[in-house]
Amino acid sequence: MSASPGLSQDFEHLYGNHHHWLLAWVNWRLGNAADAADLAHDAFVRLLTRPCHFENPQQARAYLRKMANGMCVDLWRRRSLEQAWLEALAAQPEPTAASAEQQAMVLEALGEIDAMLRELPPKVAHAFVMAVACDMTDNEVAATLNVSSRMVRKYVAQAMLCCMKLEARLTAGLTDAPPVPVSPTAAAVPPTP
C-alpha cells in the first residue's frame, strides 16, 4: 500500500519544517544527541504510520512536543528499570549471575510488567505492589489506601489475573526459548506516580 501524493507532500512539509526544531527540543530535554536523534526519528515514524492533519504550525509543534515528551518519559522509565535490574544483578554472587540472554529476557519481562501495572487502576497497582513486593498485610495496605481489607484482596486478585494473562502471553510469544517465569513477587515494580 503506497501513500497518496498529498500525504507524502504533507509529511515532507511537516518533517522539513519541524524536524530540526524537534531534534533540538528533545536534545535539550534528554541532554544526549544520539538519544535525541533516535527519538525525533521515532516521532516522525509514528506520524508516518498514523498521519495527523494540523491546522497550523503551532498545533503541529504542540502535538510533536507532547508526543516526544511521552517518548522521553518512556525512555527514562525503561532505563530506570534496566538500572534497577543491573543493580540487583550486581548484588548477586558471581556463580548465580545471569547470562546476557537471561538478562535480556528479564529486562523484557520487567518492561512488560511495568506496562501492565501502569494499565491497572492506580489503587489496584499500588495494592498489588504493597501486598506482594512489600509483603504488607491486607490491613496495612487497606489503611494506606483508605479502603477495606476485602477491597485489598479484590485489588490483588485483579492484578494477579493480569499477571497470569501476561505470563501466558509471554510464554506463547517465546517459542524457541524457555518461558520467563513471571512470579508476582519478581513482577512487583512500583508504578511511578
Side-chain angles (χ1 to χ4, degrees):
M1 184 171 141
S2 63
S4 68
L7 174 64
S8 178
Q9 289 173 348
D10 288 348
F11 181 78
E12 286 177 25
H13 179 74
L14 186 68
Y15 186 88
N17 288 339
H18 299 289
H19 180 263
H20 183 72
W21 167 84
L22 183 65
L23 179 61
W25 186 85
V26 175
N27 190 25
W28 168 80
R29 188 95 164 100
L30 295 176
N32 181 306
D35 287 341
D38 288 344
L39 283 182
H41 171 77
D42 290 348
F44 281 99
V45 167
R46 282 188 189 180
L47 275 178
L48 191 57
T49 58
R50 285 182 258 143
C52 293
H53 176 72
F54 302 107
E55 297 296 324
N56 55 54
Q58 294 79 15
Q59 187 182 31
R61 284 195 176 186
Y63 182 84
L64 286 167
R65 184 174 36 251
K66 184 176 180 180
M67 179 178 25
N69 189 56
M71 294 170 79
C72 289
V73 169
D74 288 345
L75 176 69
W76 290 327
R77 185 178 299 136
R78 189 171 52 252
R79 292 215 173 130
S80 176
L81 278 172
E82 289 172 2
Q83 185 60 39
W85 166 247
L86 292 174
E87 288 171 6
L89 189 62
Q92 296 293 318
E94 191 61 35
T96 60
S99 71
E101 182 181 356
Q102 290 170 323
Q103 291 179 36
M105 291 169 56
V106 169
L107 285 173
E108 183 179 341
L110 285 172
E112 292 282 342
I113 293 162
D114 179 58
M116 181 221 39
L117 285 172
R118 291 180 192 292
E119 289 176 6
L120 292 172
K123 282 192 175 182
V124 173
H126 285 102
F128 177 73
V129 170
M130 287 187 273
V132 177
C134 301
D135 206 25
M136 293 171 67
T137 66
D138 289 351
N139 289 336
E140 291 170 332
V141 175
T144 303
L145 295 178
N146 199 25
V147 296
S148 68
S149 295
R150 182 176 178 197
M151 196 53 133
V152 169
R153 285 189 295 279
K154 181 179 176 183
Y155 288 159
V156 172
Q158 182 180 349
M160 292 291 285
L161 177 62
C162 289
C163 282
M164 289 188 299
K165 288 178 181 178
L166 175 61
E167 182 176 21
R169 195 174 81 240
L170 288 174
T171 302
L174 300 173
T175 53
D176 27 339
V180 176
V182 182
S183 70
T185 305
V189 177
T192 305

